[in-house]
Amino acid sequence: MAMEEVFEKLRTLQNILSEKIKLEHEVEEIPKILVTQEELLSRLKKTFIDKNLEFEKCRSSEAEFRNLLEEALSMREKSEKNMDAVNTQREYEALDKEIRDAADKEQQYRKELQREERMLADLDEQIKQNTALIEQQEQDLEERRRGIETEVAGKKAQIEKLEEEERNLIPGLDPEVLFKFERIIRNKMGRGIVAIKGGVCTGCHMVLPVQFANLVHQGEEIVFCPYCSRILYYEESDEEGADYFDNEDTGSLADLDDMEDEEYDEDEEDEESTGMEFEE
Ligand SMILES: [Zn+2]
Protein backbone atom coordinates (compact mmCIF):
# COMPACT_ATOMS: atom_id res chain seq x y z
CA MET A 1 0.00 0.00 0.00
CA ALA A 2 1.36 3.44 -0.90
CA MET A 3 2.24 5.63 2.04
CA GLU A 4 -0.21 8.36 1.05
CA GLU A 5 -2.96 5.77 1.03
CA VAL A 6 -1.94 4.61 4.51
CA PHE A 7 -2.00 8.19 5.79
CA GLU A 8 -5.37 8.77 4.18
CA LYS A 9 -6.74 5.65 5.88
CA LEU A 10 -5.27 6.73 9.20
CA ARG A 11 -6.86 10.15 8.90
CA THR A 12 -10.24 8.57 8.20
CA LEU A 13 -9.68 6.15 11.06
CA GLN A 14 -8.79 9.09 13.29
CA ASN A 15 -12.20 10.64 12.68
CA ILE A 16 -13.93 7.34 13.37
CA LEU A 17 -11.94 6.70 16.55
CA SER A 18 -12.40 10.23 17.90
CA GLU A 19 -16.12 9.97 17.39
CA LYS A 20 -16.20 6.51 18.96
CA ILE A 21 -14.16 7.61 21.98
CA LYS A 22 -16.41 10.62 22.46
CA LEU A 23 -19.49 8.40 22.40
CA GLU A 24 -17.94 5.84 24.77
CA HIS A 25 -17.18 8.66 27.18
CA GLU A 26 -20.75 9.93 26.97
CA VAL A 27 -22.16 6.45 27.57
CA GLU A 28 -20.08 6.35 30.73
CA GLU A 29 -21.01 9.86 31.89
CA ILE A 30 -24.75 9.97 31.17
CA PRO A 31 -25.92 7.80 34.11
CA LYS A 32 -23.98 10.06 36.49
CA ILE A 33 -26.53 12.86 36.06
CA LEU A 34 -28.92 10.71 38.09
CA VAL A 35 -26.67 10.69 41.13
CA THR A 36 -27.97 13.99 42.52
CA GLN A 37 -31.56 12.87 42.13
CA GLU A 38 -30.84 9.51 43.71
CA GLU A 39 -29.22 11.26 46.66
CA LEU A 40 -32.22 13.53 47.07
CA LEU A 41 -34.52 10.51 47.06
CA SER A 42 -32.54 8.71 49.73
CA ARG A 43 -32.52 11.86 51.87
CA LEU A 44 -36.31 12.06 51.55
CA LYS A 45 -36.64 8.42 52.57
CA LYS A 46 -34.43 8.99 55.57
CA THR A 47 -36.58 11.96 56.59
CA PHE A 48 -39.66 9.79 56.19
CA ILE A 49 -38.29 7.22 58.63
CA ASP A 50 -37.20 9.91 61.11
CA LYS A 51 -40.56 11.68 61.01
CA ASN A 52 -42.42 8.43 61.56
CA LEU A 53 -40.30 7.64 64.60
CA GLU A 54 -40.97 11.12 65.92
CA PHE A 55 -44.68 10.62 65.28
CA GLU A 56 -44.75 7.33 67.24
CA LYS A 57 -42.93 8.97 70.16
CA CYS A 58 -45.29 11.90 70.13
CA ARG A 59 -48.30 9.59 70.06
CA SER A 60 -47.18 7.66 73.13
CA SER A 61 -46.53 10.83 75.10
CA GLU A 62 -49.94 12.10 73.99
CA ALA A 63 -51.50 8.89 75.42
CA GLU A 64 -49.52 9.37 78.62
CA PHE A 65 -50.80 12.94 79.14
CA ARG A 66 -54.33 11.78 78.38
CA ASN A 67 -54.07 9.23 81.20
CA LEU A 68 -52.60 11.76 83.61
CA LEU A 69 -55.41 14.15 82.79
CA GLU A 70 -58.01 11.44 83.46
CA GLU A 71 -56.38 10.69 86.80
CA ALA A 72 -56.31 14.36 87.84
CA LEU A 73 -59.94 14.71 86.78
CA SER A 74 -61.19 11.75 88.79
CA MET A 75 -59.05 12.85 91.73
CA ARG A 76 -60.76 16.24 91.73
CA GLU A 77 -64.21 14.73 91.35
CA LYS A 78 -63.55 12.34 94.24
CA SER A 79 -62.37 15.17 96.46
CA GLU A 80 -65.39 17.26 95.54
CA LYS A 81 -67.70 14.41 96.54
CA ASN A 82 -65.90 14.05 99.85
CA MET A 83 -66.70 17.69 100.57
CA ASP A 84 -70.25 16.59 101.54
CA ALA A 85 -68.87 14.52 104.42
CA VAL A 86 -66.57 17.20 105.82
CA ASN A 87 -67.05 17.97 109.53
CA THR A 88 -64.20 20.20 110.64
CA GLN A 89 -62.52 23.30 109.30
CA ARG A 90 -59.27 21.41 109.17
CA GLU A 91 -60.73 18.63 107.04
CA TYR A 92 -62.27 21.23 104.81
CA GLU A 93 -58.96 23.03 104.26
CA ALA A 94 -57.12 19.78 103.48
CA LEU A 95 -59.74 18.70 100.97
CA ASP A 96 -59.92 22.16 99.44
CA LYS A 97 -56.17 22.03 98.86
CA GLU A 98 -56.49 18.58 97.23
CA ILE A 99 -59.14 19.92 94.91
CA ARG A 100 -57.05 22.96 93.94
CA ASP A 101 -53.93 20.83 93.36
CA ALA A 102 -55.89 18.41 91.21
CA ALA A 103 -57.35 21.31 89.21
CA ASP A 104 -53.86 22.76 88.69
CA LYS A 105 -52.58 19.42 87.46
CA GLU A 106 -55.61 19.05 85.24
CA GLN A 107 -54.90 22.38 83.62
CA GLN A 108 -51.23 21.58 83.18
CA TYR A 109 -51.90 18.15 81.58
CA ARG A 110 -54.55 19.63 79.34
CA LYS A 111 -51.97 22.10 78.05
CA GLU A 112 -49.39 19.35 77.53
CA LEU A 113 -51.96 17.24 75.75
CA GLN A 114 -52.90 20.09 73.43
CA ARG A 115 -49.24 20.68 72.65
CA GLU A 116 -48.74 17.01 71.75
CA GLU A 117 -51.87 17.05 69.61
CA ARG A 118 -50.63 20.05 67.70
CA MET A 119 -47.28 18.34 67.19
CA LEU A 120 -48.99 15.19 65.97
CA ALA A 121 -51.07 17.10 63.45
CA ASP A 122 -47.94 18.93 62.33
CA LEU A 123 -45.94 15.73 61.93
CA ASP A 124 -48.81 14.08 60.12
CA GLU A 125 -48.83 16.94 57.63
CA GLN A 126 -45.06 16.74 57.18
CA ILE A 127 -45.20 12.99 56.62
CA LYS A 128 -47.90 13.42 54.00
CA GLN A 129 -45.84 16.03 52.17
CA ASN A 130 -42.76 13.86 52.43
CA THR A 131 -44.63 10.86 51.03
CA ALA A 132 -45.85 12.93 48.09
CA LEU A 133 -42.32 14.16 47.41
CA ILE A 134 -40.95 10.63 47.50
CA GLU A 135 -43.57 9.43 45.04
CA GLN A 136 -42.90 12.37 42.74
CA GLN A 137 -39.16 11.86 42.93
CA GLU A 138 -39.41 8.14 42.26
CA GLN A 139 -41.57 8.82 39.24
CA ASP A 140 -39.17 11.47 37.91
CA LEU A 141 -36.23 9.20 38.41
CA GLU A 142 -37.93 6.33 36.65
CA GLU A 143 -38.75 8.56 33.68
CA ARG A 144 -35.22 9.87 33.48
CA ARG A 145 -33.82 6.35 33.73
CA ARG A 146 -35.94 5.27 30.79
CA GLY A 147 -34.83 8.36 28.85
CA ILE A 148 -31.23 7.60 29.60
CA GLU A 149 -31.58 3.98 28.58
CA THR A 150 -32.89 5.08 25.21
CA GLU A 151 -30.12 7.63 24.84
CA VAL A 152 -27.42 5.13 25.80
CA ALA A 153 -28.87 2.49 23.46
CA GLY A 154 -28.76 5.05 20.64
CA LYS A 155 -25.15 5.90 21.34
CA LYS A 156 -24.20 2.24 21.56
CA ALA A 157 -25.76 1.64 18.17
CA GLN A 158 -23.70 4.54 16.80
CA ILE A 159 -20.57 3.03 18.35
CA GLU A 160 -21.29 -0.31 16.71
CA LYS A 161 -21.70 1.38 13.36
CA LEU A 162 -18.37 3.16 13.80
CA GLU A 163 -16.72 -0.09 14.78
CA GLU A 164 -17.97 -1.66 11.60
CA GLU A 165 -16.50 1.21 9.60
CA GLU A 166 -13.30 0.69 11.55
CA ARG A 167 -13.20 -3.01 10.67
CA ASN A 168 -13.72 -2.24 7.01
CA LEU A 169 -10.92 0.29 7.04
CA ILE A 170 -8.11 -1.50 8.84
CA PRO A 171 -7.20 -4.41 6.54
CA GLY A 172 -3.68 -3.85 5.26
CA LEU A 173 -2.64 -1.64 8.17
CA ASP A 174 0.03 -2.79 10.60
CA PRO A 175 -1.70 -3.94 13.86
CA GLU A 176 1.09 -2.51 16.01
CA VAL A 177 0.80 0.87 14.31
CA LEU A 178 -2.96 0.69 14.80
CA PHE A 179 -2.59 -0.12 18.46
CA LYS A 180 -0.25 2.82 19.06
CA PHE A 181 -2.42 5.04 16.92
CA GLU A 182 -5.60 4.30 18.87
CA ARG A 183 -3.80 4.76 22.16
CA ILE A 184 -2.40 8.12 21.15
CA ILE A 185 -5.84 9.30 20.03
CA ARG A 186 -7.25 8.29 23.41
CA ASN A 187 -4.42 9.93 25.35
CA LYS A 188 -4.08 13.12 23.32
CA MET A 189 -7.80 13.69 22.92
CA GLY A 190 -8.34 13.20 19.23
CA ARG A 191 -5.26 13.64 17.08
CA GLY A 192 -3.03 10.68 16.29
CA ILE A 193 -1.67 11.74 12.93
CA VAL A 194 -0.22 15.18 12.33
CA ALA A 195 1.87 16.96 9.72
CA ILE A 196 5.48 17.89 10.12
CA LYS A 197 5.93 21.41 8.81
CA GLY A 198 9.24 23.22 8.54
CA GLY A 199 10.79 20.54 10.74
CA VAL A 200 8.25 21.11 13.50
CA CYS A 201 5.71 18.55 14.68
CA THR A 202 2.34 20.30 14.41
CA GLY A 203 1.03 18.06 17.20
CA CYS A 204 3.41 19.11 19.96
CA HIS A 205 5.24 22.03 18.25
CA MET A 206 8.64 20.55 18.97
CA VAL A 207 11.46 20.97 16.48
CA LEU A 208 12.32 17.49 15.29
CA PRO A 209 15.82 16.18 14.59
CA VAL A 210 16.72 16.38 10.91
CA GLN A 211 16.97 12.59 10.70
CA PHE A 212 13.35 12.33 11.68
CA ALA A 213 12.23 15.06 9.34
CA ASN A 214 14.05 13.38 6.47
CA LEU A 215 12.59 10.02 7.32
CA VAL A 216 9.11 11.48 7.27
CA HIS A 217 9.76 13.23 3.98
CA GLN A 218 10.99 10.02 2.36
CA GLY A 219 7.63 8.48 3.27
CA GLU A 220 8.83 4.88 3.24
CA GLU A 221 7.79 3.93 6.74
CA ILE A 222 5.52 5.05 9.55
CA VAL A 223 7.39 7.51 11.77
CA PHE A 224 6.19 8.46 15.25
CA CYS A 225 7.05 11.84 16.78
CA PRO A 226 9.66 11.14 19.48
CA TYR A 227 8.05 13.75 21.75
CA CYS A 228 4.30 13.25 21.47
CA SER A 229 4.21 9.80 19.80
CA ARG A 230 1.89 10.93 17.03
CA ILE A 231 2.27 9.55 13.52
CA LEU A 232 3.94 12.12 11.28
CA TYR A 233 3.39 12.88 7.62
CA TYR A 234 5.16 15.45 5.51
CA GLU A 235 3.61 18.73 4.53
CA GLU A 236 5.36 21.47 2.56
CA SER A 237 6.13 24.51 4.70
CA ASP A 238 5.34 27.96 3.25
CA GLU A 239 8.27 29.60 4.94
CA GLU A 240 11.15 27.24 4.50
CA GLY A 241 10.20 25.11 1.50
CA ALA A 242 11.79 21.83 0.54
CA ASP A 243 15.38 23.02 0.89
CA TYR A 244 14.95 22.88 4.65
CA PHE A 245 16.29 19.36 4.48
CA ASP A 246 19.71 20.62 3.48
CA ASN A 247 19.86 22.89 6.48
CA GLU A 248 21.78 21.03 9.17
CA ASP A 249 21.34 23.77 11.79
CA THR A 250 17.60 23.57 12.16
CA GLY A 251 17.54 20.42 14.22
CA SER A 252 19.79 17.66 15.42
CA LEU A 253 19.79 14.71 17.74
CA ALA A 254 21.08 17.08 20.42
CA ASP A 255 17.54 18.51 20.57
CA LEU A 256 16.26 15.05 21.21
CA ASP A 257 18.75 14.54 24.06
CA ASP A 258 17.57 17.74 25.68
CA MET A 259 14.00 16.65 25.67
CA GLU A 260 14.51 13.05 26.68
CA ASP A 261 13.90 13.72 30.35
CA GLU A 262 10.42 14.96 29.69
CA GLU A 263 7.77 13.76 27.37
CA TYR A 264 9.80 11.18 25.53
CA ASP A 265 10.50 9.17 28.67
CA GLU A 266 6.91 9.39 29.79
CA ASP A 267 5.70 7.95 26.55
CA GLU A 268 8.23 5.15 26.72
CA GLU A 269 7.04 4.08 30.16
CA ASP A 270 3.48 4.38 29.05
CA GLU A 271 4.21 2.09 26.15
CA GLU A 272 5.79 -0.55 28.36
CA SER A 273 2.93 -0.69 30.83
CA THR A 274 0.33 -0.85 28.09
CA GLY A 275 2.34 -3.61 26.42
CA MET A 276 2.24 -5.65 29.61
CA GLU A 277 -1.48 -5.25 29.96
CA PHE A 278 -1.82 -6.70 26.52
CA GLU A 279 0.21 -9.81 27.28
CA GLU A 280 -1.87 -10.77 30.30
ZN1 LIG B 1 5.05 15.74 18.27
Side-chain angles (χ1 to χ4, degrees):
M1 206 187 310
M3 219 44 176
E4 199 34 58
E5 198 188 330
V6 172
F7 288 149
E8 198 43 52
K9 274 194 169 199
L10 286 175
R11 278 188 288 261
T12 311
L13 187 60
Q14 172 170 274
N15 293 338
I16 294 170
L17 287 174
S18 306
E19 183 63 19
K20 187 180 86 170
I21 291 162
K22 195 179 125 244
L23 286 165
E24 283 172 350
H25 184 69
E26 284 168 5
V27 164
E28 231 173 84
E29 290 300 311
I30 287 169
K32 292 184 186 165
I33 60 170
L34 291 182
V35 169
T36 321
Q37 270 189 296
E38 279 163 350
E39 278 170 4
L40 175 61
L41 180 60
S42 72
R43 272 203 304 278
L44 286 171
K45 284 182 173 170
K46 167 117 184 15
T47 307
F48 180 79
I49 293 169
D50 291 347
K51 290 284 171 198
N52 272 290
L53 283 173
E54 220 180 305
F55 186 84
E56 287 309 316
K57 239 169 93 181
C58 197
R59 201 154 63 174
S60 66
S61 75
E62 185 216 21
E64 202 180 313
F65 284 122
R66 204 177 285 281
N67 280 338
L68 287 168
L69 178 63
E70 291 292 325
E71 275 171 32
L73 248 165
S74 62
M75 178 72 88
R76 180 171 57 83
E77 279 166 3
K78 208 176 109 198
S79 305
E80 279 167 356
K81 260 184 205 157
N82 287 344
M83 268 303 195
D84 300 340
V86 160
N87 293 317
T88 65
Q89 177 68 14
R90 213 175 145 174
E91 272 176 359
Y92 171 81
E93 278 170 10
L95 211 50
D96 186 55
K97 191 177 180 306
E98 267 179 40
I99 291 169
R100 274 187 283 117
D101 285 352
D104 282 351
K105 274 186 187 167
E106 210 183 300
Q107 207 182 7
Q108 183 205 335
Y109 294 145
R110 209 180 285 280
K111 258 190 213 159
E112 306 267 20
L113 187 61
Q114 280 168 353
R115 198 195 59 211
E116 294 299 318
E117 279 169 352
R118 275 197 303 275
M119 268 173 74
L120 273 178
D122 214 30
L123 282 168
D124 189 54
E125 186 54 35
Q126 286 178 27
I127 287 168
K128 273 182 192 146
Q129 279 177 9
N130 187 267
T131 307
L133 275 174
I134 287 173
E135 273 170 23
Q136 179 68 47
Q137 191 64 14
E138 273 176 340
Q139 214 176 320
D140 277 6
L141 207 53
E142 189 48 41
E143 265 168 41
R144 291 196 79 173
R145 272 201 196 106
R146 273 200 298 272
I148 278 172
E149 271 168 31
T150 313
E151 206 182 334
V152 166
K155 288 193 190 292
K156 281 186 174 164
Q158 277 176 278
I159 290 173
E160 267 173 43
K161 207 170 141 262
L162 288 168
E163 278 172 346
E164 198 189 321
E165 285 176 37
E166 198 182 327
R167 279 194 296 277
N168 291 336
L169 196 68
I170 57 176
L173 295 173
D174 180 352
E176 201 189 318
V177 168
L178 281 176
F179 171 69
K180 285 185 184 175
F181 186 62
E182 177 159 355
R183 199 192 59 201
I184 197 72
I185 288 175
R186 281 186 190 277
N187 289 351
K188 311 269 169 177
M189 285 295 149
R191 288 204 307 162
I193 178 165
V194 293
I196 170 169
K197 244 177 170 176
V200 175
C201 166
T202 56
C204 63
H205 307 291
M206 296 297 292
V207 176
L208 294 165
V210 174
Q211 285 90 331
F212 269 90
N214 281 335
L215 221 55
V216 176
H217 197 189
Q218 281 158 19
E220 281 164 12
E221 56 182 293
I222 300 269
V223 180
F224 294 90
C225 171
Y227 305 114
C228 70
S229 307
R230 291 184 175 95
I231 291 172
L232 297 166
Y233 64 91
Y234 178 74
E235 204 170 278
E236 199 82 32
S237 162
D238 301 335
E239 290 161 26
E240 296 176 70
D243 57 10
Y244 154 74
F245 291 97
D246 299 328
N247 187 350
E248 288 290 329
D249 297 331
T250 315
S252 73
L253 270 177
D255 295 333
L256 181 58
D257 288 342
D258 289 339
M259 298 316 297
E260 246 173 4
D261 295 338
E262 293 164 22
E263 210 174 336
Y264 191 55
D265 272 4
E266 247 171 59
D267 280 347
E268 281 289 300
E269 280 168 24
D270 189 27
E271 194 168 331
E272 278 168 21
S273 63
T274 320
M276 274 163 65
E277 271 171 39
F278 247 63
E279 280 161 19
E280 276 169 13

